[in-house]
């Protein structure tokens, strides 16, 4: 459709947002269990409010992970974020640990046995998505929302913006023309700050961290650049708003540009397909797009508790595929195994790599040498190309009217 114009908005929240504090603590506990035993099981939830943190859930792991150790892990996570406020200080808050053993019924469904493969930890649907709006194959509005807050956090930790606090939010609205983002129509940034700063001072502190992140010429009009729109943001974090693990699932994934299955990631070990299968779906979608097989790709996986093979694998390239979606689905299943244990082994997920995922999104990140963000690797590109050129897929399955677009942003 020619000259199709619309505005799309995504938001992000910083590491000090109350919900992200809870995500960080939950994932730090997962890391501690997996560091002690790669086969440990965790489903850890947190709730944080003024002067208080509750840690609850189910675990299965070594007795070396004590209640005192968990409390220490939580305090250090909060300290690293930067909370030393009077009403939420990492050393002073009260912490309750209410963890108990994993349900034997759940364990029976998940664990492998003599006559069964390891099953999914729960029923559910998981989605993966990739597009060509940015070089990291992520939706542009979300990508820039994350990057603005990460830039501000780095400056705060370095001391360059020491008068800003840990709690922050961003929101980026982009204008699209013919399906491509071309400029920002509005930018919203709210950041906690010391009480002696004016709104205008905070605005000028924030400005370079927006201008430098957006592509050249994309900055919105001045009257659409909103910084702390209420005028004051001194009380922040869990003291200002109760936080919960897993409440920012759209921020964690694709900013509303793609479906979400509903399950959160943080606090869960990788036997939980809410987490591991969502990573596998992103990995598959990204490799399909990176291989030049589509401009945009959505993948859905579904599972039943205790069953190893997915119930369904759905591929949708939204009319941009170089092959039809059925062929791409068949090729994907030929080169990648989506059983839970196979996902964990292929992506190396039984490692303490999760605390770093708790802020700035689980996707669009750089794979790390110690095994972090392996689901962002482009290691299926050649296999997919070879499979599709093997002669198994006839000419009728190839869509010749699709043009694979170039990147449209820096």
């Amino acid at each position: 459709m020619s000259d199709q114009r619309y505005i799309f908005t995504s938001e992000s929240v910083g590491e000090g947002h109350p919900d992200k504090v809870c995500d960080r603590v939950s994932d730090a506990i997962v890391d501690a269990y997996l560091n002690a035993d790669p086969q440990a099981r965790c489903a850890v939830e947190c709730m944080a409010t003024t002067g208080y943190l509750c840690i609850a859930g189910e675990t299965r792991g070594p007795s070396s992970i004590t209640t005192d150790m968990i409390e220490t892990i939580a305090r250090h996570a909060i300290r690293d974020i930067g909370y030393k406020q009077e009403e939420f200080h990492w050393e002073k808050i009260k912490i309750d640990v209410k963890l108990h053993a994993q349900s034997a019924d759940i364990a029976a469904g998940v664990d492998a046995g003599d006559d069964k493969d390891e099953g999914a930890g729960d029923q559910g649907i998981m989605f993966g998505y990739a597009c060509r709006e940015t070089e990291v194959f992520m939706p542009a509005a979300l990508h820039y929302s994350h990057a603005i807050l990460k830039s501000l956090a780095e400056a705060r930790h370095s001391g360059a913006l020491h008068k800003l606090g840990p709690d922050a939010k961003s929101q980026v609205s982009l204008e699209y023309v013919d399906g491509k983002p071309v400029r920002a129509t509005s930018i919203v940034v709210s950041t906690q700050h010391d009480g002696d700063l004016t709104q205008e001072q905070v605005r000028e502190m924030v400005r370079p961290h927006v201008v430098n992140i957006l592509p050249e010429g994309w900055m919105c009009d001045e009257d659409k650049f909103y910084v702390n729109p209420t005028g004051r943001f001194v009380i922040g974090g869990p003291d200002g708003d109760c936080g919960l693990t897993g409440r920012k699932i759209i921020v964690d994934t694709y900013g509303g540009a793609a479906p979400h299955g509903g399950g959160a990631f943080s606090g869960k070990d990788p036997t939980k397909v809410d987490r591991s299968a969502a990573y596998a779906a992103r990995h598959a979608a990204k490799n399909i797009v990176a291989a030049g097989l589509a401009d945009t790709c959505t993948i859905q996986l579904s599972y039943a508790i205790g069953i190893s093979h997915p119930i369904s694998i759905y591929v949708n390239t939204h009319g941009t595929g170089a092959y039809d979606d059925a062929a791409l689905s068949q090729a994907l299943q030929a080169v990648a195994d989506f059983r839970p244990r196979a996902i964990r082994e292929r992506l190396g997920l039984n490692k303490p790599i999760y605390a770093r995922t708790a802020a700035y999104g689980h996707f669009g990140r750089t794979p790390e040498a110690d095994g972090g963000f392996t689901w962002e690797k482009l290691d299926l590109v050649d296999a997919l190309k070879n499979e599709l050129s093997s002669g198994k897929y006839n000419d009728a399955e190839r869509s010749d009217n699709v043009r694979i677009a170039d990147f449209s942003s820096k």
Side-chain angles (χ1 to χ4, degrees):
M1 183 181 297
S2 62
D3 198 30
Q4 183 185 15
R5 293 174 180 265
Y6 57 90
I7 294 171
F8 188 82
T9 303
S10 291
E11 70 160 347
S12 180
V13 297
E15 61 184 329
H17 185 281
D19 297 332
K20 283 291 147 196
V21 171
C22 293
D23 286 346
R24 173 72 171 271
V25 171
S26 295
D27 276 338
I29 293 168
V30 172
D31 281 354
Y33 271 95
L34 292 177
N35 189 56
D37 177 5
Q39 304 306 316
R41 304 287 170 81
C42 295
V44 179
E45 313 284 345
C46 296
M47 186 276 288
T49 187
T50 302
Y52 180 74
L53 176 72
C54 178
I55 302 169
E58 304 80 47
T59 64
R60 190 176 82 189
S63 59
S64 59
I65 307 295
T66 64
T67 296
D68 287 345
M69 181 182 295
I70 289 169
E71 180 176 328
T72 298
I73 290 166
R75 292 190 188 280
H76 287 177
I78 295 166
R79 178 198 63 191
D80 292 346
I81 292 169
Y83 274 111
K84 299 179 181 180
Q85 298 173 188
E86 183 63 29
E87 299 298 333
F88 197 80
H89 192 294
W90 69 272
E91 285 185 306
K92 301 175 183 177
I93 62 170
K94 174 178 172 57
I95 298 179
D96 281 336
V97 179
K98 304 291 186 182
L99 297 176
H100 60 82
Q102 183 189 43
S103 161
D105 292 343
I106 293 175
V110 176
D111 291 346
D114 293 337
D115 60 348
K116 70 181 285 289
D117 192 7
E118 187 175 292
D122 200 354
Q123 71 174 47
I125 56 175
M126 301 84 208
F127 287 93
Y129 180 77
C131 63
R132 289 187 170 271
E133 292 181 15
T134 62
E135 291 183 356
V136 292
F137 301 94
M138 288 291 288
L142 179 66
H143 175 68
Y144 298 127
S145 294
H146 284 326
I148 289 166
L149 293 185
K150 190 172 184 181
S151 179
L152 284 169
E154 289 170 351
R156 175 174 60 86
H157 284 299
S158 75
L161 292 179
H162 64 279
K163 285 183 171 289
L164 296 188
D167 197 355
K169 302 178 75 172
S170 65
Q171 184 170 284
V172 174
S173 299
L174 298 180
E175 180 183 8
Y176 283 69
V177 177
D178 295 336
K180 294 182 181 181
V182 297
R183 69 181 185 97
T185 59
S186 68
I187 304 288
V188 184
V189 179
S190 296
T191 180
Q192 188 181 8
H193 59 88
D194 287 359
D196 60 349
L197 290 178
T198 67
Q199 183 182 22
E200 186 59 30
Q201 287 174 317
V202 176
R203 181 187 184 89
E204 294 312 308
M205 289 177 175
V206 168
R207 184 187 299 277
H209 297 274
V210 174
V211 173
N212 293 338
I213 289 299
L214 293 175
E216 186 175 357
W218 278 35
M219 184 63 180
C220 64
D221 294 339
E222 190 65 17
D223 64 345
K224 301 296 183 183
F225 177 42
Y226 304 103
V227 176
N228 287 1
T230 64
R232 183 176 172 85
F233 186 5
V234 175
I235 300 172
D239 183 33
D241 188 15
C242 184
L244 293 170
T245 298
R247 195 158 57 179
K248 287 293 179 284
I249 57 177
I250 301 303
V251 169
D252 286 343
T253 53
Y254 306 104
H260 193 292
F265 303 156
S266 290
K268 297 176 181 177
D269 74 79
T271 66
K272 279 68 171 176
V273 285
D274 277 341
R275 180 166 222 158
S276 55
Y279 291 171
R282 160 63 179 177
H283 182 235
K286 182 177 180 181
N287 275 265
I288 285 174
V289 175
L293 302 173
D295 280 348
T296 303
C297 183
T298 300
I299 291 176
Q300 183 201 64
L301 304 175
S302 70
Y303 293 85
I305 188 168
I307 306 301
S308 60
H309 286 279
I311 300 301
S312 64
I313 299 176
Y314 166 76
V315 176
N316 184 355
T317 57
H318 308 276
T320 72
Y323 292 79
D324 71 29
D325 293 344
L328 287 171
S329 178
Q330 292 172 35
L332 179 62
Q333 293 176 67
V335 303
D337 189 337
F338 290 96
R339 290 175 296 173
R341 178 164 58 180
I343 290 171
R344 293 202 320 279
E345 291 175 352
R346 175 160 51 86
L347 298 179
L349 299 182
N350 286 95
K351 297 177 181 178
I353 55 174
Y354 296 107
R356 69 194 74 173
T357 69
Y360 315 117
H362 292 243
F363 308 126
R365 309 288 288 271
T366 302
E368 298 176 345
D370 66 349
F373 302 104
T374 53
W375 50 93
E376 293 296 315
K377 289 184 176 181
L378 298 178
D379 52 358
L380 292 181
V381 167
D382 290 341
L384 283 165
K385 288 180 177 178
N386 291 338
E387 177 67 19
L388 286 160
S389 63
S390 65
K392 300 176 185 178
Y393 308 92
N394 61 43
D395 292 340
E397 292 172 324
R398 184 170 183 83
S399 177
D400 293 323
N401 61 347
V402 174
R403 177 180 61 83
I404 303 298
D406 295 329
F407 291 117
S408 60
S409 61
K410 75 176 183 181

